[in-house]
Amino acid sequence: MRQYAGNRIGLAVVGFVLLSGGAYAFLRGSGRLPQGEDAKVLSFDVAAYLAAHPWISWVGALVLVMAAMVATRWLLMALGWGRFGHRSGTGTALLCVGLKDVEGISRTKVRLVGADRMRISVTCPSSADVGAVVGKLDREIVGRIRRDVGDDAMGALVRLHVRR
Amino acid sequence: MAGRAPVPLVGVMTTLQELLPGGAALTEGDTPRRRAARVLKPARTPAGVVVSAALAVLFSLTAAEVVAALLGGRLGLVPIDRVADLAAATPWSHPNLQSGALVTVVVGLVLLGLAVLPGRARLLALGTSDSRLVIGITRAGLRRTLKTAAEDVDGVESVRVRLRRRMIEVTVVSDAERTGAMLRRAGVAVGDRLNGLGAIYAGEVVVRLRRKGL
């Protein structure tokens, strides 16, 4: 079981591109590269070449469309699309039954993410014996929920909160 | 050198895997701490949403504008002509371009830092006996439960708990005359609560005393 790594990969790629581009522009402008620093950013030769070969612009447009699709997919994934899963009523009921001895338990929630992961949320009052809650979750409750709503190999992440 | 019979490595690994509970893979260093760190590591969601949204908008508009221009039309969403004219008129050594390049380098470094640095987890890991289960408690939740444990000690007026990177600092406020035993009991209560939770925490617990009214 791992944390979603898509954001870190995307940030690394964008960061590397920005760092490389910025460093090149700075070095080029400060005369530290063999090319002349007084040359224009878009030289006339390049503009003329692009005008003479319109297929390059079409390839550029295709690359832009693909980049836009990748960025949109990244945005949807970053917003949680396909990662939040759906609530499991049976799992939540089993969780509540397992913790029925603990006074003041609230906001219990079990979500199934795909076929191999489960996210559980529990909030208990500060007066509760939180250690006992953790022990019950570890030894009994999560295993029981796994057996009833998924399979035994399912990974589970429990978020425990203590309210005032 | 004496010859050695080849060891059937695959067979040995299979046997060890069978011995492990739940058929978990035997990997060196797969400790509960590492497992929890892997799962609870911040996903960098806010930065990911901002950067991906900016890129999606920028790429989509530019692609639409370029395709429209290639087909002989014009959408007016992105001023491509003005950007091209500006690029054709600006030398690499222009001060604004140099400043922009430095800003770009800094932004790139920040994004790379966000991608590479582990960051502070929103949940603190608790120990479990199951390799496929990770339990995390919120920072506020851990503060509250430790505060409650320390406040239950006789003579303690109020408690403030601060979670630092390598230290849990418990400040006990009291007006008791003899504070040594009370401070020890508060430390024991906090330690017992941490043990009961099975908190995977590398730092130390420091209990401080503050006289009421000071």
Side-chain angles (χ1 to χ4, degrees), chain B residues 77-88:
Chain B
L77 299 170
V78 182
I80 290 182
D81 293 342
R82 286 228 312 268
V83 172
D85 291 343
L86 192 65

Side-chain angles (χ1 to χ4, degrees), chain B residues 133-170:
Chain B
L133 169 65
V134 173
I135 302 181
I137 186 168
T138 58
R139 302 183 84 85
L142 182 62
R143 262 200 312 269
R144 279 188 197 125
T145 190
L146 294 182
K147 184 172 187 286
T148 308
E151 279 175 346
D152 287 345
V153 174
D154 280 343
V156 173
E157 296 280 327
S158 66
V159 177
R160 192 178 68 175
V161 179
R162 296 173 82 178
L163 303 178
R164 296 175 185 271
R165 192 169 282 273
R166 298 238 169 258
M167 183 172 71
I168 295 177
E169 188 182 303
V170 181

Side-chain angles (χ1 to χ4, degrees), chain A residues 17-39 41, chain B residues 91-106:
Chain A
V17 169
L18 290 180
L19 180 64
S20 311
Y24 175 79
F26 181 75
L27 293 175
R28 178 89 190 259
S30 56
R32 291 191 177 93
L33 291 181
Q35 297 91 344
E37 70 256 39
D38 289 328
V41 175
Chain B
W92 284 102
S93 56
H94 194 283
N96 289 350
L97 188 68
Q98 291 285 287
S99 313
L102 281 179
V103 170
T104 309
V105 166
V106 171

Side-chain angles (χ1 to χ4, degrees), chain A residues 4-15 74, chain B residues 43 112 115:
Chain A
Y4 169 65
N7 288 331
R8 285 180 183 268
I9 295 169
L11 290 172
V13 171
V14 176
W74 176 17
Chain B
L112 272 177

